[in-house]
Amino acid sequence: MRFGHPDGTTVHLAYCSNVHQAEDLDGVVDQLAAYAEPVRETLGADLLGIGLWLARDVVNELSAAPDAVRRLRTELTARGLETVTLNAFPYGGFHREVVKKDVYLPDWADPARLRYTVDCARVLAGLLPDDARRGSVSTLPLAWRTPWPTEARDSARRVLDQLAGQLAELARESGRTIRVGFEPEPGCVVENTVQAARELGGVDPEWLGICLDTCHLAVQFEEPAAALRRLADAGLPVVKVQASSALQAADPADPEARRALARFAEPRFLHQTRTAPNGTVTGVDDLPEALAGGLDPGSPWRVHFHAPLHAAPEPPLSTTADELTSSLRVLLGGPQAVSDHIEVETYTWSVLPEHLRPQDREGLVAGLAAELAWTRDRFEELGLKPHLDVTSHSPKEPVS
């Protein structure tokens, strides 16, 4: 969906396809028909944005054959979909039985990460709608924090210079501007905007910047306006925003709250958990560690578990939806839009507690549509106007 900001910017709203399991091109095409198009129809929208996650194997397929990129673009157009952003954080295997810290590999000291990211940018240049100003690719915040020796840090800085150069070359070749945003995440080399300014300050802002995930921002107890000022002072543009909410327990010492939290302690993804007594953020790397006594239960906990935006869990748990709303107000409610790419990224539907989990395809479609409708309502409250006439969309018969 597209919205007009009062400053004249077109803001693109999408949902991220990393919620779906597909690691070959046929699977990606199939998910457009099975999920993305029905989500659009449920919303009654003429055009829906989808932030594609394309695993390394899919990008290999697309890079090997220009016809493959044209096929994917035709499928998107035929189904009333558009792509202006890719999620290139997970390299592959994102729906394995256990992912945890493997999602941070390869890191930015490994040339494989550079090759994958540039290949994603090239694919995106071929998928962008003709009238899109630019595209964005989100990526991991350099690496998990350990091990990260000085030589890895120095190597990553050199690789980022190469990345900026290759994005500039792509723009000259294709005429399309693609920027890469590094996504601060708890537990990583860059887990908050203070570290982003320190570790990424000085990169070329024409091509590189930040992907701001509002769940991560909340888990780190960062205040949105201060975080954005910090990034601006460091010369780091917000390339992309991932609209997401964290799980929250106001009183983690309450036995009922602990029983409820335990139902979210699942084995696939890492659920970093933080608390901030007296304003000092402390935490552990996963929710089971917190529940086992590794984290002070004397003040509220926030958990890196992307919770559905539109529906809070049963009390005594809640989400950071209010913090998400505050973030959107800072990002979009001022005289200028801070970012024009907003992606709803609740990838955890399949690992929610059983009683909250969609039981079939229709249930997931309904949940994704409800999240987007919730976000659309927040946009409209901020004065953004839906684009009703999308001339770039001319439906055709799908090619497969």
Side-chain angles (χ1 to χ4, degrees), residues 123-143:
V123 167
L124 180 57
L127 295 177
L128 279 181
D130 292 339
D131 61 347
R133 291 174 61 202
R134 58 196 174 200
S136 62
V137 177
S138 51
T139 187
L140 72 155
L142 298 181

Side-chain angles (χ1 to χ4, degrees), residues 322-397:
D322 288 346
E323 284 73 17
L324 167 55
T325 300
S326 296
S327 296
L328 292 175
R329 186 178 302 118
V330 172
L331 289 158
L332 299 174
Q336 291 186 308
V338 174
S339 179
D340 55 352
H341 293 176
I342 314 292
E343 176 184 77
V344 172
E345 198 217 8
T346 306
Y347 59 84
T348 47
W349 285 94
S350 65
V351 296
L352 286 168
E354 185 66 31
H355 67 292
L356 300 176
R357 193 179 307 169
Q359 299 304 306
D360 51 26
R361 183 186 66 84
E362 289 77 12
L364 180 55
V365 166
L368 294 170
E371 288 194 293
L372 287 163
W374 184 93
T375 311
R376 177 189 60 198
D377 291 347
R378 304 291 84 72
F379 280 18
E380 294 181 357
E381 289 169 2
L382 294 171
L384 277 69
K385 304 296 184 184
H387 280 200
L388 300 179
D389 180 25
V390 182
T391 57
S392 64
H393 169 46
S394 53
K396 306 169 187 174
E397 287 300 312

Side-chain angles (χ1 to χ4, degrees), residues 4 13 73 78 80 103 152 196 236 239 242 253 299 344 346:
L13 174 63
R73 180 168 177 167
V103 76
L236 291 169
V239 168
Q242 288 179 326
S299 58
V344 172
T346 306

Side-chain angles (χ1 to χ4, degrees), residues 114 118 122 157-173 178 180 203-204 206-208:
L114 173 65
V118 172
R122 291 187 179 279
R157 177 59 76 161
R158 291 191 295 271
V159 169
L160 297 194
D161 290 340
Q162 295 175 45
L163 172 62
Q166 293 188 42
L167 294 173
E169 181 181 354
L170 173 61
R172 289 191 294 269
E173 293 174 354
I178 310 294
V180 170
V203 298
D204 189 337
E206 186 172 359
W207 308 106
L208 308 181

Side-chain angles (χ1 to χ4, degrees), residues 63 192 217 249 277 335 357:
S63 299
N192 54 41
L217 196 71
R357 193 179 307 169

